Amino acid sequence: MHSALRTAQAAARRTMATASGKTLTIGLIPADGIGREVIPAARQVLEALPSDVMAARLKFVDLDAGFEYFQKHGVALPEQTLAALKSDCDGALFGAVSSPSHKVAGYSSPIVGLRKQMDLYANVRPVISGAAATASGDKRAIDMLIIRENTECLYIKDEELHEDANGKYAVAKRRISEFASRRAGEMAFSMALQRDSMRQLVGAAERTWTGRPKVTIVHKSNVLSVTDGLWRETVRSVYEGNAEYTRRVDVEEQLVDSMVYR
C-alpha cells in the first residue's frame, strides 16, 4: 500500500542529493545505553543503501553527549559537539539518554540543550502503517505527520520550589509565544502541501489518503485558554493569512484528550 509513496519520497530525496552533488556529513551521537547499539546499526543501514535510493556520498563524525559523559567530564553536551554540529554536519543521529529521574546538580538533558542551542523548533514525526482493524471493525491505514513545537511549553525548564505553612510546593512555568507557534504552524502547512505533491506522483489506488491535505490543530484551550489559546489562534492566523494554504489545505481542531484515540 505504501511502497509507491515511499518510492516517490525516495526519488525526491535522490533528486535533491544528486542536484547538490555534495557529500553529506552526519554526526553520530550514541550517548547512553541502547544508543550505543542502535547508532552503529543505523550507520550500517545508511552505508548499505543503494545509489538509486541515496545518491549522495555519506561521511560520518562521532560525537559525544549524554549522562555517562557527564559523569566522567562534568558536562552532558560538550561545546565541541555543538561546534561540530553547527559547522561541519548536515544532520545528526542521536541514540538515547539515561537522564536520571531525580535532580543531579549541574546536569541538564543534552536533548533539551540541543533543541535550544540548535534552534530545533519542530519535532517532525511521520506515522505510517498498513490497514488494521479499528474499534468499529473498519480497516484503516495511517499516513500522518505530527509536528510538535519543540522549544517552549514546559521545556523551558523554569521551575521553583517554595514552602509555606502547608509544606513544600513546586511551580513550573509554561511559555507559549506567538513567534514559536507561528514557526510550528508554518512547518505544518508547508509539509502538508509537500506531502500532497508527493502523493500526486503515484496513482490514486496506491494512496492511503486520497482527500485534500488536512492540518489538525491540537490544543487544550478549553482549560488553558491563555496559553493554548494563543497557540490555537496563532496557528489559525498562519492558515488564514496565506492564500495558498486556504485554497489547498483543509484545517480542523481537536482537543488533545480525544486526539489520542481519534
Side-chain angles (χ1 to χ4, degrees), residues 46-89:
L46 292 175
E47 290 177 327
L49 290 175
S51 58
D52 64 337
V53 174
M54 177 59 74
R57 297 180 298 275
L58 297 178
K59 175 184 176 182
F60 297 95
V61 178
D62 294 318
L63 301 172
D64 293 312
F67 184 65
E68 293 178 25
Y69 187 88
F70 168 81
Q71 290 177 306
K72 295 177 181 177
H73 303 281
V75 60
L77 182 60
E79 285 297 327
Q80 55 266 35
T81 293
L82 281 172
L85 290 172
K86 291 177 179 179
S87 63
D88 302 331
C89 298

Side-chain angles (χ1 to χ4, degrees), residues 198-258:
M198 288 180 175
R199 290 190 184 98
Q200 303 309 316
L201 298 176
V202 300
E206 299 279 353
R207 303 176 200 165
T208 301
W209 179 260
T210 56
R212 282 161 50 91
K214 178 187 290 186
V215 170
T216 303
I217 305 171
V218 182
H219 58 79
K220 187 65 175 173
S221 62
N222 61 325
V223 175
L224 303 170
S225 58
V226 176
T227 49
D228 269 33
L230 180 60
W231 158 261
R232 171 188 172 277
E233 293 165 7
T234 303
V235 176
R236 288 204 69 95
S237 72
V238 170
Y239 175 73
E240 294 164 357
N242 186 302
E244 185 176 23
Y245 295 161
T246 55
R247 180 171 56 86
R248 296 181 54 193
V249 181
D250 293 333
V251 66
E252 64 178 7
E253 298 182 25
Q254 189 73 34
L255 293 178
V256 66
D257 314 64
S258 54

